[in-house]
Amino acid sequence: MCYNKKWILLKNPLYENTGSHAGAYDNDNDFDKDGDFRSPAVYRKRMIMSTLASDYITLELHKVLEMLANEAANEKTKALARALTPETDPERVRYALKQTEDAFQLSLRFGTPAFDSFQDVCAAVRHTQSGARVSLKELLEIARLLRQISSLADWYGHCEGMDTTLSDLFARLQPNPYLADLLERSIENEERLADAASPELAAIRRKITRAGIQLREKLEKMIKSPAMQTYLQESIVTIRDGRYVIPVKAEHRGDVAGLIHDTSATGQTYFIEPMAIVDANNDIRLLETQEIEETDRIIAKLCAACGEAAETMLSGYEIAAELNLYFAKASLGTMQQGMIPEISEDGSLILKKARHPLIDPKTVVPISLHLGGDYHALIITGPNTGGKTVALKTVGLLTAMAMCGLMIPAAEGSQIAVFDRILVDIGDRQSIEYNLSTFSAHTLQDIDILKNADDCTLVLIDELGSGTDPVEGAALAVAMIERLRMQGAELIVTTHYQELKRYALETDDVENASCEFDLETLRPTYRIVIGSPGKSNAFAIAGSLGMPDDVIAHAKQLVSTENQRFERAVEQLDRSRAEHEKALAELERLRASAAQHEKEVREQAELLEQKREEELQKIRAQARRIVEQTVSESNALLEELRQLKKEKEKADFSEKIAAAKSHTKQTVDRLYENSDTDSQSNYVLPRPLKPGDIVTVVSMGQSGTVLLEPDNKGVTVQIGMMKTRVPLDQVRLELQKTQQKEKQAKQKTHMTGVRSQKGGVGVRSAASELDIRGCTIDEGVMMTENFIAGALLTGLNTVTIIHGKGTGVLRRGIHDHLRKMKQVKEFRLGVYGEGEDGVTIVTLK
């Protein structure tokens, strides 16, 4: 049985008013001469697309395509955008997405090429190809198309040899700048050729202008004469029928010799061409005739030139419109902050932070869900206005957009499956015209879904089984889900029925999901939570809207005990999930903070290493200079010694030896000074010195301890048993040794030594607290062992170890060691007032 092409077009509401741009439906190669399908495969494809049209309208794909059309520059591309249909071949979908991605990358790197709003000139070009003449307006549109082709070719020529899926289209463009320049140079506007169109035309127009000026001057003299002033109605020169005339009063028409061309509406004025200018007017008319002939010749020449380039222009027109479509897709994706999704191999669908493209980006709440893999049916439950329907439409619409080669508003890592059909039952399909109730209308739609669904189908059903008795509706919904699963369809449904929630909990390959509801604010959050059934929260919502409490209480009593238990279990599950998500969010925050800290430490270490290397380079350079100077000075000393050796027999030899020793000592001292200055000249004390600091005295090469506060003259340092006064520029603070000394002194403040009582035997006493904050685990363990040994000797039963909270590493290390110590009876963390997690209370045996 054959189906007529026109019937299919009329039955496809998605492409109403699109004329010849009906996408896959308007390919004449698919039909025979009678308008019937050539093959069953073509018929099947067309019928699938026809039945899917209403589903795509329900998903509002046509609105997204209209947004795409608004990004296009010309009517041809707008029509292509509106005529897009989801492709069902995964490889073709991948290629279409790749074209969009390449357009996006090219725009990102080189800027979007300029697209002009050129008109459809195919008919005019074909007329020129057949030898016909077209108007100047059509020639100007052809010139605009040629400029567009040249502009695109030039733009891609600056793309540094980028090899993309669009390269073939750009390569097929054949610019014709000569013809574009010829048309633009020759045509002044839609009604007139330019003087530059040909030298002959310019010469003729100059002659016409000169003749007109001369004739006007002659008429001006004529109408200014006293005799002619008597006959004229007005002293002006005008034109009638292309000839210059003067206005003469009706009573004097016989007094002016000439030809009458026209009269005024009242008959009081005659427009007469004086005989004296008839020949001049004839000359102008002859020149105007020559101008028309030359214009016709030029236009014919321009049309012939267009006819010769007709094929390349027609091809360029199609290519320019197609390229505009791909860059319009990239522009729409950028506007929606979209991404190129992966096309799954196993039919699974993963959406991460997906946003409905028709909802205001400032208010839309992203959703994340997946389908396929572990389960192929998803049952979404939750309160009314909680976002269940929007979630269904988002899944269907984004899938259809990807199948059209469009970027989707979602996060990286999103994955789309390609389906032959997306069957939808969303919204109220009640019909008064056909006497259908809401339930009847939905049921008829669901019957069609059951007939057409297979393993290449995505099914989206809103409020499955609603509109009738809840028990029967729930049973019917479960039965329909079972049938769709048997047919292999991927399925997402929304519902309020608890039976479907239990069904998902008890059935493999079926998963629960819920639209999250904030029990504290009594408002939906519009987030989708996979793996958890949702509550309708009807009582909470009704209460927030002002329903009397006694009515709600009575309603709760009417709910069965089993349902109450189930709802309480769901509520408890929601609370547990919310707490778990908060804990995960906090863990993620801490992990991110730790990663940031690690990054900062690594960058600081790299910076210090870089500075260290720079300082080493400076020191090496200084050392080289010192060595070179030392060698030079040594050579000079050796030379002096050789000279002295030669003069040892002379009388003043002793004096020269003494002078040489003095000179040598001065040279060595100067070398030391240079060495110290070169290597230490940039040294600055990290902080002011104070008594107890450990320092190095550069001139002596010894370490000592600061005894007194320094002054402007220097600082007093004790080195061993010796006390000495040293200038500040000769002192280097040993910061690490100083800090270690302060730390040891701090630890000693928590323990007391052995002290004697009057007249008795020595008795030991120890403090009850040990502060090990800032220590490593090994240091803390060693100090703890010594501390507990001392505490046992003094008879203490309970001691406190202060380790701080921090990351908990030191606390865990101390606890592990305490468990192994035989002297420890038990231990615990501190409570409020004792230091909480920052201290450990130890009970000794």
Side-chain angles (χ1 to χ4, degrees), residues 711-752:
D711 53 29
N712 294 333
K713 296 181 180 180
V715 62
T716 302
V717 179
Q718 180 169 352
I719 303 175
M721 300 298 292
M722 178 183 67
K723 296 180 182 179
T724 181
R725 187 79 170 165
V726 183
L728 285 175
D729 59 358
Q730 293 295 312
V731 175
R732 306 293 181 259
L733 176 61
E734 296 290 341
L735 191 58
Q736 187 174 1
K737 293 181 180 179
T738 301
Q739 291 174 346
Q740 186 176 1
K741 178 181 177 182
E742 291 174 349
K743 182 177 178 182
Q744 292 173 352
K746 185 177 180 182
Q747 293 169 0
K748 290 179 180 179
T749 60
H750 295 282
M751 300 183 64
T752 60

Side-chain angles (χ1 to χ4, degrees), residues 71 73 102-116 148-157 159 166 170 173 320 323-328 330-331:
E71 297 297 313
D102 287 346
F104 175 77
Q105 293 297 335
L106 286 170
S107 296
L108 196 64
R109 185 169 179 181
F110 304 104
T112 304
F115 286 96
D116 196 1
Q148 175 71 92
I149 294 172
S150 296
S151 172
L152 291 175
D154 291 343
W155 179 86
Y156 193 68
C159 291
L166 306 181
F170 280 105
L173 290 172
L323 286 171
N324 189 193
L325 177 63
Y326 299 136
F327 282 95
S331 177

